[in-house]
Amino acid sequence: MKVEISYFPPEEIITKPGPEATYPFEITGEFKYIVEFSCYIDGDYAEAHEEFFCNWLESPNYYPIYSLAEIYDFQLEEYEELFKKQNIEFNYMKGSNKDSFFVKAIIRSPQQFKQYYPYLYGNGSMLNLSLWSLKQDVFRLEEREHESPYPVKRTKNNRTRLIKLKWMANTLIATLNESSTMFWVGHDGDYIAAFSNDENFSTIDSLQKIMPEKVELVTDYEWE
């Protein structure tokens, strides 16, 4: 199994939410390494990425895993049913929109992760937030003022002008420390990005050492 990865310099990352933000959440604290794992494994977009991540996180040394996802209200019942069936601890808070919720779960075993991974990945593929962190709860929600990126027309007293709408909503903030590793399901589920201070993530050679057997990391996949 060949998995393509890409490294990105942290200093070029915009960590606060806004029109120019690199990621749709805020990151505080230091982080050294950003590695993107392509979900086009062996040159094919298939379920191989699920096999890859679930096999990688088989070791009990990675647990507990803390996850946070923003889901729509119509998904809440399905998630609650999964959590109760798999005995996964969870709680939820109001999301950033009126019809969404932030769901935080504590995953304590590889079996629980295998059951939850399709939900995390599927949610991220729908452009909703889906993240997980190893051994540390790095996620918190904070109410922040949001502003629409583009102005809209508003008419008052027969006068029309352009304004930017503002509102208060919960915002996800990830706080990383010297031993943190966090994963985020990227845009459209095409890749999964890892943010880490773990030296194992520093180079492709060191990262290869913690990969499952039969996994080969490459930086430039040769498409056939």
Side-chain angles (χ1 to χ4, degrees):
M1 177 186 289
K2 289 187 177 181
V3 180
E4 185 176 16
I5 66 171
S6 303
Y7 275 88
F8 290 89
E11 61 271 14
E12 296 183 7
I13 301 303
I14 301 174
T15 59
K16 292 187 177 181
E20 303 300 324
T22 311
Y23 302 108
F25 48 86
E26 183 172 337
I27 304 175
T28 63
E30 298 292 331
F31 55 98
K32 298 178 182 177
Y33 314 114
I34 303 174
V35 187
E36 286 187 1
F37 296 83
S38 174
C39 289
Y40 290 83
I41 293 178
D42 285 331
D44 183 31
Y45 185 75
E47 298 304 318
H49 60 83
E50 180 176 339
E51 176 186 348
F52 164 61
F53 277 102
C54 290
N55 286 346
W56 181 9
L57 298 179
E58 275 282 352
S59 171
N61 294 331
Y62 292 121
Y63 292 82
I65 287 176
Y66 295 85
S67 73
L68 192 139
E70 186 173 21
I71 66 174
Y72 296 114
D73 51 6
F74 66 82
Q75 297 174 281
L76 193 57
E77 184 177 349
E78 180 182 8
Y79 274 68
E80 287 184 349
E81 183 178 346
L82 170 74
F83 293 148
K84 291 176 181 177
K85 183 177 180 180
Q86 297 300 324
N87 197 29
I88 296 174
E89 298 174 50
F90 72 96
N91 59 67
Y92 53 85
M93 292 181 60
K94 192 61 184 169
S96 59
N97 300 304
K98 64 179 181 179
D99 58 351
S100 68
F101 288 89
F102 283 109
V103 178
K104 181 182 284 188
I106 305 175
I107 304 163
R108 299 192 180 277
S109 71
Q111 177 60 28
Q112 289 180 337
F113 184 76
K114 287 178 181 178
Q115 296 299 316
Y116 192 30
Y117 179 86
Y119 288 78
L120 281 171
Y121 178 76
N123 193 58
S125 298
M126 295 191 301
L127 300 181
N128 288 341
L129 282 177
S130 275
L131 307 98
W132 71 87
S133 62
L134 306 182
K135 301 184 75 170
Q136 299 175 354
D137 182 4
V138 303
F139 308 118
R140 79 176 194 272
L141 298 175
E142 189 173 298
E143 194 171 53
R144 296 282 185 85
E145 183 179 71
H146 292 247
E147 183 178 81
S148 59
Y150 305 105
V152 297
K153 290 183 179 180
R154 285 292 184 267
T155 301
K156 185 177 181 179
N157 298 327
N158 295 322
R159 295 182 61 186
T160 299
R161 58 193 181 101
L162 293 174
I163 64 170
K164 286 190 174 183
L165 301 179
K166 295 183 179 182
W167 67 95
M168 299 298 293
N170 280 330
T171 299
L172 170 58
I173 301 171
T175 302
L176 306 184
N177 61 34
E178 65 278 0
S179 58
S180 299
T181 297
M182 176 184 77
F183 295 85
W184 168 62
V185 180
H187 299 294
D188 295 324
D190 289 343
Y191 59 91
I192 293 177
F195 307 78
S196 184
N197 286 313
D198 187 337
E199 292 300 318
N200 287 316
F201 286 76
S202 61
T203 68
I204 187 172
D205 291 332
S206 60
L207 192 54
Q208 181 69 62
K209 293 178 181 178
I210 63 171
M211 289 294 107
E213 292 185 9
K214 299 181 180 179
V215 169
E216 179 186 355
L217 299 179
V218 296
T219 54
D220 293 295
Y221 186 83
E222 295 184 4
W223 294 82
E224 298 180 355

